């Protein structure tokens, strides 16, 4: 798998005038033995690909739900290498593209080229580094692209026009549009700024746009679907894992959630 797999997926969705669904799930949930089965269930429920979260001890961008998910995974011994292995098995078992999401410190400690090589060896298609500012993204993006993977860059409602142009000029595999300010987590009311952000990005480029952060219900996903190539849903699904009593219940509940989001898109 490579960045082209993501590009093809977005192209197919555009041709079908529909929106991709990219569920986020922390690697290692509900437990290491059932982690891949969880992603298989999401694939069967209609996911187009995955954002696989590498458990990390200082997840600055994540709210309480995903923080708790990461802590549970770390407690079972799932770290970077185990997370990459799970991502690789997900790709092999589902045939869908997967991106790994991590933090800059993890990439820097491994070395950008070494991190990218290991990710590519496991068959993932792209990399999301949640706390990587555009000004410091160059060396990591270059390493990721040398490995044949796609780099994702963020844009928020507060991003200036000049900065948006620099993001576009960097040619990421897709732009992650932050639908709502703040950390990840569920919102009772959908962001009113996601559509405006999408319009500003669409005016500059046809690079795929994926909206995430705070998209918590199928109705909220449907409201932004027309303006984006894809939607990422994280906390609303991880919460189902945290609330489940058994791994089987977690897998069933998450699959139901993905099926509901897919139907809305």
């Amino acid at each position: 798998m490579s960045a082209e797999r993501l590009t093809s997926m977005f192209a197919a969705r555009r041709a079908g005038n529909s929106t991709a669904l990219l569920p986020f799930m922390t690697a290692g949930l509900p437990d290491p033995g059932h982690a891949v089965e969880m992603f298989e269930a999401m694939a069967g429920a209609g996911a187009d690909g995955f954002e696989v979260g590498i458990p990390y001890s200082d997840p600055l961008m994540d709210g309480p739900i995903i923080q708790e998910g990461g802590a549970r995974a770390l407690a079972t011994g799932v770290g970077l290498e185990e997370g990459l292995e799970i991502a690789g098995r997900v790709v092999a078992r589902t045939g869908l593209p997967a991106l790994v999401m991590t933090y800059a410190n993890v990439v820097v400690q491994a070395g950008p080229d070494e991190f990218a090589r290991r990710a590519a060896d496991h068959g993932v298609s792209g990399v999301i580094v949640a706390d990587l500012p555009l000004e410091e993204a160059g060396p990591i993006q270059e390493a990721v692209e040398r490995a044949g993977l796609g780099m994702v860059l963020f844009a928020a409602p507060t991003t200036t026009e000049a900065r948006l142009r620099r993001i576009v000029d960097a040619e990421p595999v897709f732009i992650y549009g932050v639908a709502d300010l703040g950390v990840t987590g569920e919102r009772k009311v959908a962001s009113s700024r996601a559509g405006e952000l999408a319009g500003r990005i669409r005016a500059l480029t046809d690079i795929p746009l994926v909206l995430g952060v705070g998209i918590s219900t199928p109705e909220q996903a449907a409201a932004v679907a027309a303006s984006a190539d894809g939607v990422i849903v994280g906390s609303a699904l991880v919460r189902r894992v945290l609330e489940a009593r058994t791994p089987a219940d977690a897998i069933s509940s998450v699959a139901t959630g993905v099926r509901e989001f897919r139907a809305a898109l």
Side-chain angles (χ1 to χ4, degrees), residues 29-96:
L29 294 181
D31 60 42
H34 293 86
V36 177
E37 187 179 347
M38 171 76 76
F39 285 92
E40 288 182 295
M42 290 193 285
D48 293 283
F50 305 104
E51 181 183 354
V52 181
I54 303 297
Y56 181 57
S57 59
D58 191 20
L60 297 174
M61 184 178 172
D62 292 319
I65 293 174
I66 294 179
Q67 284 190 22
E68 174 63 20
R72 289 193 187 188
L74 285 168
T76 65
V78 178
L80 173 58
E81 190 54 41
E82 295 80 7
L84 290 175
E85 289 179 0
I86 288 170
R89 284 190 283 145
V90 167
V91 172
R93 296 278 285 272
T94 67
L96 297 178

Side-chain angles (χ1 to χ4, degrees), residues 197-217:
L197 173 63
R200 292 170 56 207
I201 294 172
R202 292 294 200 204
L204 295 176
T205 182
D206 62 354
I207 292 173
L209 169 64
V210 177
L211 293 172
V213 180
I215 298 174
S216 311
T217 67

Side-chain angles (χ1 to χ4, degrees), residues 222-236:
V224 300
S227 58
D229 294 279
V231 172
I232 291 175
V233 180
S235 295

Side-chain angles (χ1 to χ4, degrees), residues 132-221:
L132 184 64
L134 176 64
E135 291 74 11
E136 299 175 20
I140 293 178
Q141 181 173 0
E142 290 167 7
V144 165
E145 292 178 350
R146 275 195 294 272
L149 308 181
M151 187 74 197
V152 176
L153 295 176
F154 288 88
T158 52
T159 300
T160 65
E161 293 302 312
R163 192 177 180 84
L164 270 185
R165 292 183 184 280
R166 291 173 59 196
I167 292 168
V168 169
D169 289 344
E171 299 183 335
V173 69
F174 70 76
I175 296 174
Y176 190 133
V178 178
D180 199 13
L181 297 178
V183 297
T184 62
E186 294 180 273
R187 311 288 201 271
K188 291 183 179 178
V189 178
S191 169
S192 60
R193 306 179 72 177
E196 176 188 357
L197 173 63
R200 292 170 56 207
I201 294 172
R202 292 294 200 204
L204 295 176
T205 182
D206 62 354
I207 292 173
L209 169 64
V210 177
L211 293 172
V213 180
I215 298 174
S216 311
T217 67
E219 292 76 18
Q220 292 176 8

